[in-house]
Amino acid sequence: MSAPQPAAGPPVGRTAVQAPAVDADLVAFFVQQHRPLRRYLRAQGCPDSDCDDIVQDAFLIVRRRWPTIAYYDELKAYLYKVAIRLWHRHAARIRRGGYRDDHEDYLADRADPTDPLATVELSDQLTRWFRHLPDRQREVAALRLIADLSEVQTAQILGIGVGTVKSQLNAARTTLKQLKEHQERTERRQTRKEGNRR
């Protein structure tokens, strides 16, 4: 009778190196979408301290479902739909509304060169102004201008018609333009006051 063989242990050497790794496409998707998704949540009023948790949870859900959803045509829209649901649940749970004081601090951060919004003039300031938009306009504008989703994707995520997306975005653009003009007038007045003091 032969001696009992030891139980198989964890793979070592070459076998360990060949163990399945995280899908490279998933990593690339995370790198590409992480910052825009975080910026989107900030524009929706999510506190800085909660954004990272929601973004992480959203990507964990995507990772668990990756074998099924990796070939979706609307993968980015799926990610945002997951994140929106997580944010709404979180906001309802803590019964909070509006924006936190640290909103300005986050948006003052230096833009990431991989962020597609990094080259957009006044992108951070525009995001700050989102707080002044009605809820529906803010939701539509954030998905269209920050997440860079199409009108159809935005309509599907929010459960509204494409025509509503267009009208709400136009209204949001009008308000944002008025806010920009107001700030420019304020800055000109401030500059004149400072010049008169000298």
Side-chain angles (χ1 to χ4, degrees):
M1 183 185 296
S2 59
Q5 298 297 314
V12 294
R14 182 182 296 273
T15 307
V17 172
Q18 293 176 346
V22 175
D23 191 300
D25 290 338
L26 174 59
V27 173
F29 182 64
F30 174 82
V31 170
Q32 182 184 37
Q33 299 300 329
H34 174 268
R35 187 175 176 89
L37 179 59
R38 195 177 194 283
R39 185 186 291 270
Y40 167 81
L41 289 168
R42 293 298 286 151
Q44 293 303 306
C46 184
D48 195 45
S49 57
D50 295 334
C51 272
D52 289 329
D53 290 339
I54 293 175
V55 169
Q56 178 180 342
D57 288 347
F59 275 104
L60 285 174
I61 290 172
V62 168
R63 181 180 182 182
R64 284 198 301 270
R65 299 177 183 172
W66 189 253
T68 303
I69 69 173
Y71 302 103
Y72 278 16
D73 291 334
E74 307 290 340
L75 187 55
K76 186 165 75 166
Y78 178 85
L79 170 67
Y80 276 82
K81 197 163 192 175
V82 169
I84 289 169
R85 286 178 178 169
L86 290 172
W87 161 236
H88 285 173
R89 288 177 192 162
H90 180 74
R93 192 163 55 244
I94 61 177
R95 296 183 181 181
R96 64 168 295 277
Y99 285 71
R100 287 259 297 260
D101 292 339
D102 63 352
H103 184 66
E104 307 278 342
D105 296 336
Y106 165 72
L107 291 170
D109 287 351
R110 177 176 164 275
D112 185 333
T114 63
D115 182 355
L117 293 175
T119 59
V120 178
E121 184 181 7
L122 291 178
S123 61
D124 284 347
Q125 182 63 63
L126 283 171
T127 309
R128 290 189 189 98
W129 289 333
F130 274 42
R131 78 178 76 185
H132 300 293
L133 299 175
D135 290 346
R136 180 61 79 195
Q137 289 181 26
R138 186 174 67 244
E139 291 169 348
V140 168
L143 288 172
R144 292 286 288 118
L145 303 178
I146 295 178
D148 195 29
L149 295 176
S150 69
E151 291 175 347
V152 172
Q153 290 172 324
T154 300
Q156 290 173 344
I157 288 174
L158 298 178
I160 59 179
V162 172
T164 302
V165 170
K166 292 179 179 179
S167 63
Q168 292 295 310
L169 181 59
N170 286 337
R173 286 184 187 277
T174 298
T175 301
L176 293 172
K177 180 181 177 182
Q178 292 171 347
L179 290 166
K180 180 182 178 183
E181 291 171 349
H182 174 74
Q183 173 164 318
E184 289 173 347
R185 288 194 299 271
T186 301
E187 289 175 349
R188 285 196 296 269
R189 284 196 299 268
Q190 186 65 31
T191 301
R192 285 197 296 269
K193 285 181 182 179
E194 291 176 355
N196 293 335
R197 289 176 189 153
R198 293 174 181 172

